[in-house]
Amino acid sequence: MQLKDKIAVVTGGGRGIGRGVSDKLLEAGARVLIAQRQPLDDELAANPSVAWVAADLGSREAPAQIAQAVEATFGGADILVNNAGIMFERSLDNMTEDDWERMMAINLRAPVFLAKALLPQMRARGGGSIANIGSIEGLAANPWHTAYCGAKAAVHGFTRAM
């Protein structure tokens, strides 16, 4: 129970990689607030150490909403895992500014401002940890993933700067 009495926020924590992260945090004794659009599956929803907040990370209000939810539910956060993200395939020729904006909102703006929103709670609780999920595509490139590569490269830079 290495993480007993620790509170984690995991974006997109109910599916895929995020679900694996949530499961490991729970196994280590943490309580987990999962922030995502979709409701939790029955197993997660029945777990008393799990809470869910419906959040669209493309919304500017989502970081504050998530921070308020974790404080109201568990008393604050010790751990943040910025996992949620989107990816689409478009060449630069076919990508629109709206495509770009949505990618940056979810894959970059949300992690930055969720970290900012949770820092006061982490400091008040004696410190914390933030894990930002990047991608090899933030280092390498795929011509059909222009926006995704750009967002993940920015996540890598943001993480180093923090």
Side-chain angles (χ1 to χ4, degrees):
M1 294 305 220
Q2 189 175 8
L3 296 178
K4 185 177 184 296
D5 299 325
K6 298 297 181 185
I7 309 302
V9 172
V10 182
T11 63
R15 302 182 339 173
I17 293 169
R19 174 60 182 264
V21 170
S22 295
D23 287 344
K24 290 297 183 185
L25 288 165
L26 290 164
E27 285 174 23
R31 290 179 285 166
V32 179
L33 178 90
I34 295 174
Q36 63 185 28
R37 289 177 303 188
Q38 305 84 8
L40 301 178
D41 64 31
D42 293 341
E43 180 185 354
L44 282 173
N47 187 326
S49 294
V50 175
W52 170 61
V53 59
D56 176 359
L57 294 172
S59 163
R60 287 180 184 267
E61 293 76 29
Q65 174 192 13
I66 295 165
Q68 290 167 358
V70 73
E71 189 163 35
T73 305
F74 293 126
D78 303 291
I79 300 163
L80 169 60
V81 181
N82 278 311
N83 164 73
I86 62 167
M87 200 271 286
F88 55 76
E89 294 196 339
R90 303 246 200 317
S91 68
L92 182 58
D93 290 330
N94 295 320
M95 186 176 58
T96 68
E97 287 186 38
D98 287 342
D99 292 335
W100 176 267
E101 292 296 328
R102 181 111 177 110
M103 181 72 71
M104 294 304 150
I106 294 171
N107 290 10
L108 179 59
R109 187 182 69 213
V112 168
F113 288 97
L114 185 52
K116 181 179 178 178
L118 291 179
L119 279 174
Q121 293 178 19
M122 291 178 175
R123 288 179 178 130
R125 293 171 65 85
S129 295
I130 299 172
N132 297 316
I133 305 298
S135 171
I136 189 66
E137 290 197 41
L139 304 171
N142 177 329
W144 289 90
H145 297 170
T146 306
Y148 185 78
C149 291
K152 290 301 182 174
V155 167
H156 295 171
F158 159 64
T159 301
R160 286 189 303 270
M162 277 199 313

